[in-house]
Amino acid sequence: MHYSAVDRTAWEARIRMPNDSTDSYASCRFLVVDDEEVVRRVVVRVLGKLGCETVSTAASGLDALTQMDAIAAAAEAGPDLILCDLNMPEMDGVEFLRHLATREYRGGIVLISAEDERVLETARNLAKARALNVLGAIPKPVTPATLSKVLAAYSGRVSAEARPQGELISVEEVRAGLEADEFEPFFQPKVGLPDGHVVGAEALVRWRRGDRLIPPGLFISTAEEGGLIDALTDQVFGKAMDVAGAWRRAGFDLKVSVNVSVDSLTDYSLPDRFAERAVQAGVDPTRVMVEVTESRLAQEVAAALETLTRFRLKRIGLSIDDFGTGYSSMVQLKQVPFVELKIDRAFVHDAHRDRHSLAILESSVGLAKRLGLSTVAEGVENQDDWDQVAAVGCDQIQGYFVARPMAADAFLEWLIEWERGLEATPD
Ligand code: C2E
Ligand code: MG
Ligand code: MG
């Protein structure tokens, strides 16, 4: 059956999509300027994790200026924040900054570079001398932690409500949030191909703070740095299992995936705790999947290996998350007993019109198949994405095109409507 036959608009009208308003940067327009495609992808992905939705890219300073001139000519608003590499062929970052100054660019600038600290510092001073608003300079590789720190300093044209809240969240606040039991999982469906039936859900933590929902990008690294990540994982996992148990009793036997920080993998008791908590909630551990992000795994794989193996001994599944964005994927695939591979959104969304993404998507699926892993395409945002991942033989799909992450109750309502929609649709 083809997904397009499903009347999507109808159920969107019936079910009020929950406001996953985790979008503190959502109203901000970002422009990423870097000659290396892989760096642009990583930065776009990190921005995505921080809730930034409007991100354009340029492969050179000239390309960026051309784009900005076209926007200005159309009397549209230009970027609020430019993330710019210093070392680029043709027009380097320093020259690019000069052009920004002559255009009286008033937005924020973040310098990104593999150059040493002193070069970055000099470039920063130079930009300041030209009255440009430089928020900071960050070394490569760009990580959510370094990027969110400089973004938190951003006080440019973003309105007060939309201003990033990253700077406001301290370890103490996360601790208080944990004590007040304010962290809860939202659930995003994973559907199987080709039929589109819901096979599972990924639990994604949200911090319900008063009437605000804070996205994980704004507090996970604080929790990790403050040694609170294990407590957070337990709070989210426990609630996710209770929900999964309730779904099971309601007749929906879904696989539930949870995200585990690499920092938690040094805790050897985690697999036992997870297995016990699952059983306590009435969930078979084989219906639980642990997602670990590849880019971080790279550095700490030795310490994590024992815990990862013990998860498998407890019959809990292991999934390699954000595949394709890390640095030594192949080694980990060989060492760790993964059963699922999640291909990062960077290689899924728009893959049909980007031959590099498509090449990575195809070879990831091929690799997974040869290793006997099932594949999930993340970040499927439209019909073209759906068709493309189906064509390359992905097993499952996750993305906004199916649904955004939802609170537990809304998820069940959504699920019933979705499955009803599939039944009503002729093959
Ligand atoms: P992830 O595990 O890769 O989760 C997927 C992220 O992509 C989620 O962001 C999800 O809302 C978003 N997403 C899903 N479909 C689409 C789409 O079609 N388009 C776009 N643009 N985005 C999509 P979220 O919920 O903000 O989570 C961000 C990251 O935070 C997660 O990435 C995961 O690494 C981490 N995280 C989430 N929950 C937990 C948790 O309980 N513990 C830990 N340690 N990390 C967590
Ligand atoms: Mg995940
Ligand atoms: Mg992912």
Side-chain angles (χ1 to χ4, degrees):
M1 189 203 62
H2 196 252
Y3 172 80
S4 57
V6 179
D7 185 5
R8 187 158 189 270
T9 334
W11 10 272
E12 281 190 345
R14 256 174 293 163
I15 303 175
R16 197 177 53 79
M17 296 304 273
N19 182 16
D20 182 27
S21 58
T22 53
D23 49 3
S24 26
Y25 298 104
S27 59
C28 235
R29 289 170 300 266
F30 292 83
L31 174 61
V32 181
V33 191
D34 199 305
D35 58 305
E36 284 179 78
E37 194 187 359
V38 61
V39 177
R40 292 198 298 274
R41 277 183 203 288
V42 170
V43 176
V44 169
R45 172 172 158 270
V46 169
L47 284 168
K49 290 222 163 191
L50 295 169
C52 312
E53 285 173 2
T54 319
V55 183
S56 349
T57 58
S60 67
L62 201 60
D63 181 9
L65 294 172
T66 312
Q67 287 186 29
M68 289 172 73
D69 290 346
I71 290 169
E76 284 166 14
D80 299 299
L81 215 151
I82 299 177
L83 298 109
C84 165
D85 182 24
L86 272 186
N87 199 348
M88 296 183 284
E90 289 163 31
M91 183 191 291
D92 63 31
V94 176
E95 187 184 344
F96 175 61
L97 291 174
R98 173 157 49 81
H99 288 288
L100 286 182
T102 46
R103 281 168 173 75
E104 299 188 339
Y105 172 69
R106 291 283 165 262
I109 299 168
V110 175
L111 301 171
I112 302 172
S113 184
E115 304 297 327
D116 74 28
E117 284 291 322
R118 283 179 41 217
V119 177
L120 268 177
E121 196 48 41
T122 314
R124 192 179 170 162
N125 292 336
L126 206 121
K128 276 197 179 144
R130 296 194 192 279
L132 291 168
N133 180 15
V134 178
L135 305 176
I138 50 179
K140 285 180 186 175
V142 177
T143 65
T146 51
L147 191 54
S148 66
K149 256 183 210 145
V150 285
L151 290 187
Y154 182 42
S155 57
R157 291 179 0 208
V158 196
S159 66
E161 325 72 86
R163 192 169 297 155
Q165 293 132 5
E167 67 194 309
L168 304 175
I169 296 176
S170 64
V171 173
E172 281 322 307
E173 284 173 290
V174 176
R175 196 190 308 278
L178 282 166
E179 275 161 21
D181 200 30
E182 289 172 348
F183 294 88
E184 68 175 59
F186 267 41
F187 296 89
Q188 187 178 32
K190 289 161 93 174
V191 303
L193 282 173
D195 56 17
H197 287 296
V198 178
V199 290
E202 177 176 5
L204 293 155
V205 63
R206 301 291 182 261
W207 182 359
R208 204 179 277 284
R209 217 180 168 198
D211 54 5
R212 276 171 48 213
L213 270 182
I214 305 179
L218 295 182
F219 57 81
I220 292 286
S221 46
T222 309
E224 285 171 352
E225 281 160 23
L228 298 171
I229 194 67
D230 290 351
L232 190 129
T233 303
D234 283 342
Q235 193 162 106
V236 174
F237 185 78
K239 289 180 188 179
M241 287 305 105
D242 289 341
V243 169
W247 286 345
R248 216 185 112 86
R249 288 188 290 281
F252 299 100
D253 184 21
L254 300 179
K255 250 195 159 157
V256 173
S257 303
V258 289
N259 292 279
V260 168
S261 288
V262 174
D263 290 2
S264 303
L265 295 178
T266 46
D267 174 0
Y268 301 127
S269 68
L270 196 67
D272 295 283
R273 285 214 307 281
F274 271 23
E276 275 164 31
R277 188 64 181 82
V279 170
Q280 184 199 331
V283 178
D284 190 321
T286 58
R287 309 302 287 156
V288 178
M289 182 80 84
V290 163
E291 295 190 5
V292 190
T293 296
E294 184 210 21
S295 54
R296 297 277 322 281
L297 246 186
Q299 299 133 32
E300 298 162 59
V301 71
L305 209 54
E306 177 173 341
T307 310
L308 289 169
T309 309
R310 301 198 63 236
F311 274 122
R312 293 300 294 132
L313 294 174
K314 295 280 166 195
R315 304 282 176 263
I316 291 173
L318 280 182
S319 171
I320 184 162
D321 206 350
D322 306 338
F323 186 78
T325 60
Y327 297 96
S328 59
S329 348
M330 305 302 161
V331 180
Q332 286 142 27
L333 279 178
K334 193 163 162 263
Q335 289 185 335
V336 182
F338 289 111
V339 296
E340 178 186 92
L341 182 149
K342 295 187 85 170
I343 303 162
D344 195 75
R345 170 163 65 104
F347 312 106
V348 170
H349 176 52
D350 278 349
H352 66 285
R353 48 179 174 161
D354 178 337
R355 65 190 173 87
H356 294 111
S357 293
L358 187 56
I360 295 172
L361 173 66
E362 277 175 334
S363 43
S364 305
V365 173
L367 180 67
K369 280 205 162 66
R370 292 192 66 176
L371 294 171
L373 310 179
S374 77
T375 45
V376 183
E378 295 188 301
V380 169
E381 294 193 358
N382 52 45
Q383 184 74 56
D384 289 333
D385 294 347
W386 175 295
D387 293 341
Q388 184 61 72
V389 299
V392 302
C394 270
D395 300 307
Q396 290 173 26
I397 279 184
Q398 187 180 339
Y400 293 169
F401 188 53
V402 177
R404 288 190 176 243
M406 297 167 265
D409 295 350
F411 183 92
L412 201 56
E413 244 181 89
W414 173 89
L415 171 65
I416 292 164
E417 288 296 326
W418 173 274
E419 292 294 333
R420 198 176 287 160
L422 291 181
E423 268 167 38
T425 311
D427 282 338

